[in-house]
């Protein structure tokens, strides 16, 4: 028999595709032909090694990749590119803000004296200095503002009726007083 | 009735899952993708469970679905996902170095075969199908399956011999 025929039969035999009678005949033939036996052995080994290699490849890669997933699942889930981009944007914004902040100087206004009329009847001191501006806290500022005289009422554009424009003007005036 | 079907399907899944996964793995060389493909395959099988006409074996029918799933995956991934990325060296360091080298070498040798030979080898060695089942699945005569297998194994053997002579 030719080498190719021997190899094909050896392959079928190794893969269990030969029926019992044919397998017995083939083995008997190989027992008598040493060269054919070598060809058949090489092919049978190729079958076994290929099968084993595919099996090991699947199993080992499987193990390796699964271990990677078990150890670092969160590393895979984080979108690092997006995270990095946003981090860069925030850092650049902080740098620009810091640079601009260092250049601009705070506006220091001269201490202002606020005169209010005391409402207490007990003191009856009339006009008096209360607090200079840098000395005042938030609530003190509010309290002082409440003690200020209110803005005079603006006369209505249409007598007898107070429209939206009149109310707006009154509010502006009130704010300017504050 | 539903429980009986569930039991039957579960048994079928347990019998075939490893081979389906191995067959899928041969296509994508990646455990995660192989899992996804196997899952997709079983979902399709579940949906069309009643469509099995009784011709051939249930196993061959399942692998026909698996093959279609693989083909769809190739279409989606395009040419980058050629049958077994031949250039890809994945980690086979669970086993000793010489064995790992041989595994890689054979894996590459199979990856360098033509698609027909490759698929036949995958169906025979990873899916563990018989010649007749492969022939039915691929729609070719048994002789063609034998020829493709022989051609593929011959190429692999040449690579093995080259390596053996080299070392």
């Amino acid at each position: 028999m030719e080498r190719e025929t021997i190899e094909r039969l050896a392959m079928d035999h190794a893969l269990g595709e030969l029926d019992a009678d044919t397998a017995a005949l083939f083995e008997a033939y190989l027992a008598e032909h040493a060269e054919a036996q070598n060809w058949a052995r090489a092919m049978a080994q190729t079958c076994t090694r290929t099968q084993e290699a595919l099996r090991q490849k699947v199993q080992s890669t499987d193990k390796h990749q699964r271990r990677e997933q078990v150890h670092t699942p969160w590393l895979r889930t984080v979108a690092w590119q997006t995270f990095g981009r946003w981090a860069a944007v925030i850092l650049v914004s902080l740098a620009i803000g810091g640079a601009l902040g260092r250049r601009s100087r705070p506006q220091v206004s001269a201490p202002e004296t606020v005169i209010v009329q005391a409402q207490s009847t007990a003191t009856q001191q009339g006009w008096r200095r209360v607090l200079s501006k840098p000395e005042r806290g938030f609530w003190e500022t509010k309290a002082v503002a409440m003690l200020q005289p209110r803005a005079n009422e603006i006369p209505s554009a249409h007598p007898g009726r107070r429209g939206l424009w009149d109310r707006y003007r009154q509010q502006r005036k009130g704010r300017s007083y504050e | 009735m539903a429980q009986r079907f569930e039991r039957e399907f579960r048994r079928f899944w347990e019998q075939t899952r490893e081979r389906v996964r191995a067959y899928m793995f041969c296509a994508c060389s990646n455990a995660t993708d192989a899992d996804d493909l196997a899952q997709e395959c079983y979902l399709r099988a579940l949906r069309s469970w009643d469509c099995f006409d009784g011709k051939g074996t249930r196993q061959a029918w399942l692998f026909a679905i698996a093959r279609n799933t693989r083909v769809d995956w190739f279409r989606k991934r395009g040419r980058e996902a050629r049958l077994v990325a031949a250039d890809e060296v994945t980690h086979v360091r669970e086993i000793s170095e010489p064995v790992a080298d041989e595994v890689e070498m054979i894996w590459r040798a199979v990856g360098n075969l033509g698609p027909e030979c490759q698929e036949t080898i995958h169906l025979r060695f990873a899916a563990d199908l018989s010649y007749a089942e492969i022939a039915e699945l691929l729609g070719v005569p048994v002789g063609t399956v034998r020829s493709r297998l022989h051609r593929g194994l011959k190429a692999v053997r040449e690579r093995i011999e080259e390596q053996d002579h080299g070392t």
Side-chain angles (χ1 to χ4, degrees), chain A residues 96-110:
Chain A
I96 292 171
L100 289 175
R102 282 171 69 91
R103 285 189 180 199
S104 64
R105 296 189 174 197
Q107 213 172 13
V108 181
S109 57

Side-chain angles (χ1 to χ4, degrees), chain A residues 18 89 151:
Chain A
L18 281 186
V89 167

Side-chain angles (χ1 to χ4, degrees), chain A residues 7 12 15 57 65 69, chain B residues 31-32 90 124 131 146 157:
Chain A
E7 282 179 351
D12 294 347
L15 297 175
K57 177 76 179 176
Q65 289 181 346
Q69 283 171 359
Chain B
T32 314
T90 43
R124 184 65 191 89
Y131 285 180
R146 189 177 278 130
R157 194 194 62 208

